[in-house]
């Protein structure tokens, strides 16, 4: 119930008095010249226009970022302060309160949700049977059949058994001898002499 009020407070734009207080708190750091009543009204009107719609926390964060800048010698111009207020990360008091309340609500909702029922897992035998069934079904698809046929066509044809002590079949030796790619082989008798 409090979250809408906290959100509204976190997003509430700064009032002119709050803008004056935030900027005026830095006057000791950046001394200001004496101004007439009209000059002071024009001075503050520029800041009110530039910072319109921004929250006090945003303006304070922008001013703090300007003070931390080592090059900052003077009070920031209204446009520069507005830019810093929009780009500097900030979490104001009401923003922190809203975020804490939101986290509490989310945590409470998660705790209130019933835990999902744990499903019984199939036994290893059932898993093996399901995998075998799936693989059998996949093997029957046209793509799988075409792939199996392509693999079968790429397999080398079986060759004739090689003679003992040879690394080449008799048919291949005969082909290479007729092409004169290798020297003819002479059969040796038991004494190592050509027959």
């Amino acid at each position: 119930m409090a979250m809408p009020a906290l959100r509204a407070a976190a997003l509430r734009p700064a009032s002119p008095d709050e803008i004056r207080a935030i900027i005026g708190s830095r006057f000791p750091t950046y001394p200001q010249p004496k101004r007439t009543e009209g000059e002071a009204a024009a001075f503050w009107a520029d800041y009110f226009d530039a910072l319109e719609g921004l929250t006090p926390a945003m303006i304070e964060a922008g001013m703090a970022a300007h003070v931390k800048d080592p090059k900052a010698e003077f009070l920031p111009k209204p446009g520069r302060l507005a830019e810093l207020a929009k780009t500097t990360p900030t979490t104001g008091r009401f923003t922190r309160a809203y975020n804490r309340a939101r986290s509490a609500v989310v945590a409470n909702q998660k705790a209130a949700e019933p835990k999902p029922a744990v499903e019984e897992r199939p036994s290893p035998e059932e898993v093996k049977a399901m995998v075998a069934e799936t693989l059998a079904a996949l093997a029957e698809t046209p793509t799988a059949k075409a792939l199996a046929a392509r693999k079968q066509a790429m397999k080398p044809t079986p060759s004739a058994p090689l003679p003992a002590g040879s690394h080449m079949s008799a048919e291949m030796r005969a082909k290479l001898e007729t092409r004169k790619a290798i020297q003819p082989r002479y059969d040796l008798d038991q004494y190592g002499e050509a027959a």
Side-chain angles (χ1 to χ4, degrees), residues 158-164 166 168-171:
S159 60
L162 299 179
S166 176
M168 192 180 306
S169 68
E171 292 85 4

Side-chain angles (χ1 to χ4, degrees), residues 134-150:
T134 303
L135 290 176
L138 289 174
E140 295 302 316
T141 62
T143 306
K145 287 181 179 178
L147 184 60
R150 193 174 321 136

